Amino acid sequence: MEKTFLMVKPDGVQRNLIGEIVARFEKKGFQLVGAKLMSIPTELAEEHYGEHKERPFFGELVDFITSGPVFAMVWQGENVIATARQMMGSTNPKDAAPGTIRGDFGLTVGKNVIHGSDSPASAEREIGLFFKDGGVVEYSKLVNEWIY
Ligand code: RTP
Ligand code: MG
């Protein structure tokens, strides 16, 4: 089953949005298979956002993501990578549709509440970076056949 890496960024943690964000993915029917509150070491932040190394905002991005704890998660389900990105909304909250996480809660492009893997390759890479010591659980929900 497809997996993705999602993370409530430091602004979302400070604003008490962890529960709201987890609830959205739970209610959608996706399955939480890993989660932890953690501080990101600078080296991990630089590696995670390595694709943006040459961008002018790279320093600010690393400073922000290491500025306070984040809530790192692995979610599972069919098409979870693309669907989670839709549920997050556009990168810049000013362009994010109402009803999306960034549309409802985001303030600026730098403080946009949530991160989500943008492709299967990113998901595999990011799960490997953030959960390299384990913590991803395989389990079945026995409730019914309508959710993952
Ligand atoms: P993310 O990686 O955090 O999930 O966001 P994303 O895929 O929607 O956007 P991406 O292009 O990967 O950019 C990563 C993060 O960099 C910040 N950013 N700042 N100042 C700027 O113009 C600018 N552009 C991007 C955003 O916080 C974005 O989430
Ligand atoms: Mg990205």
Side-chain angles (χ1 to χ4, degrees):
M1 187 66 76
E2 187 171 290
K3 291 184 179 62
T4 195
F5 174 69
L6 302 179
M7 172 169 71
V8 182
K9 294 184 179 182
D11 55 332
V13 174
Q14 294 294 325
R15 291 172 57 197
N16 295 332
L17 292 173
I18 294 174
E20 167 74 34
I21 289 168
V22 169
R24 289 188 178 211
F25 293 104
E26 276 192 318
K27 287 176 188 167
K28 174 70 177 169
F30 291 126
Q31 185 184 12
L32 183 64
V33 293
K36 59 183 170 186
L37 187 72
M38 61 181 283
S39 297
I40 304 186
T42 303
E43 312 75 61
L44 175 59
E46 288 174 350
E47 192 162 0
H48 171 65
Y49 279 128
E51 65 174 315
H52 300 303
K53 209 165 42 210
E54 308 304 331
R55 310 280 285 275
F57 57 81
F58 182 70
E60 273 173 48
L61 185 56
V62 170
D63 285 349
F64 168 62
I65 210 73
T66 58
S67 66
V70 300
F71 193 65
M73 299 170 280
V74 181
W75 286 86
Q76 176 169 292
E78 206 168 301
N79 294 316
V80 67
I81 299 171
T83 304
R85 294 280 297 188
Q86 285 181 333
M87 291 169 66
M88 288 161 51
S90 301
T91 304
N92 193 329
K94 81 173 168 55
D95 304 319
T100 65
I101 292 166
R102 287 165 171 169
D104 289 350
F105 306 115
L107 294 170
T108 63
V109 69
K111 291 190 172 68
N112 58 6
V113 181
I114 183 167
H115 164 80
S117 307
D118 60 10
S119 67
S122 305
E124 193 179 339
R125 188 179 81 87
E126 293 168 1
I127 292 168
L129 281 175
F130 282 84
F131 288 85
K132 68 172 182 307
D133 300 325
V136 180
V137 185
E138 292 294 337
Y139 66 105
S140 302
K141 286 249 175 80
L142 303 175
V143 221
N144 60 43
E145 65 202 63
W146 301 107
I147 57 174
Y148 298 117

